[in-house]
Amino acid sequence: MNEKSLGFKFEPSAPDHWHLGEGKASERFGAVELMPGGHGWGKYLPDTEPQKRNIETMACTVYASLTAYETLARFKGFKDFPKDCSERFSAILAEVAPDGNSPHKSCEAIRKHGVIEEELLPFTDKMTKGEEYYIPKPMIPEYLELGKEVLSRFTLGHEYVFNGSIGITSKQDKLIEALGRGTVCVSVKAWKKKGDLYYKGNEYDNHWTFLVDYKDGEYWVVRDTYAPYDKKLAWDYDFQTAKLYFLTRKTEADKKNLLTLLQNLLELLKSKLGMPNPNSEKLYQTAK
């Protein structure tokens, strides 16, 4: 398990990818701190799910990302969001390769196609060949419609917390900030352990996990797709990639967009006129 890939493939950032600190996700989803200090997501975790049974799916980027969305849905009380999403549905649409996938590609497939219940496309012990997991192709039209129905009610989003080489201290600060705003997943090198903690040498990551919590200066806690499912990682663990996840109701997201548009218009008028515009102020207050 230490050497081969378990499904994480590094993808360099592109100009259209969102990153923490750019403000794009804040404009779309708001910048409210959901979990002060970044502690508490463990209370809302869904049940553990293995990415390997009789066959290895290589779909860790899907499994951890769906854990992030399911945890957000539980935290926000979205009872009409699927409680147990089908990883198989998302993995097929993300076109996970035999050597895995990049987190960004998997996240985009989930964002664009939505999610369906696990019971519709389950992962069972009866599967003995890898290709059984990755059918049907093409996806059943009725299942695609169910995914769209979820997207008619919810908006799913994600952005990079970091993606590549920055200082470990900067990564620690960014992860703590991100955990306050939403759920987070991180890449790891699976798995090396010393004492009670897992650690990483000067190696590339090969696996994607859900970041649950941390004890400042001591360790990080992740939810894995291999037993033991809850692991403690050394505080100086040099994660290669991390993503922050967002989930809002459509009406809530649309209202945030309207408020942002009106506020930007107001600021533009102020700068053009050199003074507040009473009508714009009234319009903005009405929208609130």
Side-chain angles (χ1 to χ4, degrees):
M1 182 180 291
N2 287 339
E3 299 301 326
K4 68 179 182 179
S5 171
L6 297 180
F8 168 80
K9 295 171 67 175
F10 179 79
E11 176 185 357
S13 297
D16 62 334
H17 295 174
W18 290 9
H19 290 77
L20 182 71
E22 291 178 342
K24 294 178 181 178
S26 296
E27 288 182 11
R28 183 68 183 87
F29 297 99
V32 177
E33 188 177 38
L34 300 180
M35 194 69 71
H39 301 294
W41 293 113
K43 299 176 183 177
Y44 304 95
L45 279 171
D47 293 338
T48 58
E49 291 188 84
Q51 71 173 64
K52 179 181 179 182
R53 294 181 186 268
N54 290 326
I55 59 172
E56 169 61 68
T57 67
M58 301 297 287
C60 61
T61 53
V62 168
Y63 275 81
S65 296
L66 289 179
T67 295
Y69 286 122
E70 291 169 7
T71 300
L72 276 172
R74 287 172 175 236
F75 169 77
K76 294 192 171 189
F78 294 160
K79 295 183 179 181
D80 52 338
F81 188 87
K83 294 179 177 60
D84 185 7
C85 300
S86 169
E87 288 83 11
R88 189 173 153 201
F89 172 79
S90 297
I92 292 170
L93 294 174
E95 299 180 338
V96 174
D99 61 344
N101 209 12
S102 75
H104 189 82
K105 189 175 179 181
S106 290
C107 288
E108 281 294 278
I110 296 169
R111 183 182 70 83
K112 292 177 180 179
H113 294 286
V115 293
I116 66 172
E117 293 284 357
E118 169 74 12
E119 62 185 15
L120 296 174
L121 273 181
F123 181 24
T124 72
D125 291 329
K126 294 180 180 180
M127 295 179 177
T128 57
K129 298 180 180 179
E131 56 264 30
E132 292 180 80
Y133 188 85
Y134 286 98
I135 55 176
K137 273 187 181 180
M139 181 54 64
I140 298 170
E142 289 80 4
Y143 290 174
L144 291 172
E145 287 301 315
L146 287 174
K148 290 179 182 178
E149 196 277 329
V150 172
L151 291 181
S152 72
R153 291 179 283 114
F154 296 99
T155 301
L156 293 78
H158 57 96
E159 68 176 356
Y160 281 114
V161 180
F162 50 79
N163 190 36
S165 299
I166 61 174
I168 290 180
T169 300
S170 295
K171 289 182 178 181
Q172 292 166 344
D173 292 342
K174 286 178 177 290
L175 286 173
I176 292 172
E177 177 187 351
L179 283 169
R181 292 183 53 201
T183 50
V184 175
C185 288
V186 291
S187 64
V188 297
K189 175 63 177 179
W191 284 110
K192 294 183 178 181
K193 192 175 184 181
K194 185 181 296 182
D196 295 330
L197 301 178
Y198 292 87
Y199 71 97
K200 175 185 172 183
N202 187 23
E203 303 159 297
Y204 292 112
D205 290 347
N206 64 351
H207 189 39
W208 192 241
T209 62
F210 178 76
L211 184 61
V212 180
D213 208 337
Y214 67 96
K215 187 170 183 180
D216 198 5
E218 295 190 28
Y219 57 79
W220 304 93
V221 180
V222 300
R223 167 61 61 87
D224 194 19
T225 46
Y226 295 93
Y229 294 104
D230 296 313
K231 294 178 169 72
K232 291 182 179 179
L233 280 57
W235 182 247
D236 62 353
Y237 202 100
D238 190 11
F239 305 102
Q240 188 174 4
T241 300
K243 269 189 175 287
L244 171 61
Y245 295 77
F246 305 92
L247 178 67
T248 57
R249 282 200 181 278
K250 263 296 194 305
T251 52
E252 180 184 345
D254 291 342
K255 184 176 180 181
K256 288 182 184 298
N257 279 343
L258 176 60
L259 290 173
T260 299
L261 177 64
L262 292 174
Q263 194 166 22
N264 290 340
L265 177 61
L266 174 61
E267 293 302 320
L268 178 63
L269 287 170
K270 284 182 178 180
S271 64
K272 293 288 186 182
L273 301 176
M275 59 183 294
N277 185 295
N279 292 330
S280 296
E281 289 280 6
K282 184 177 180 181
L283 181 62
Y284 177 65
Q285 293 298 327
T286 300
K288 293 177 68 177

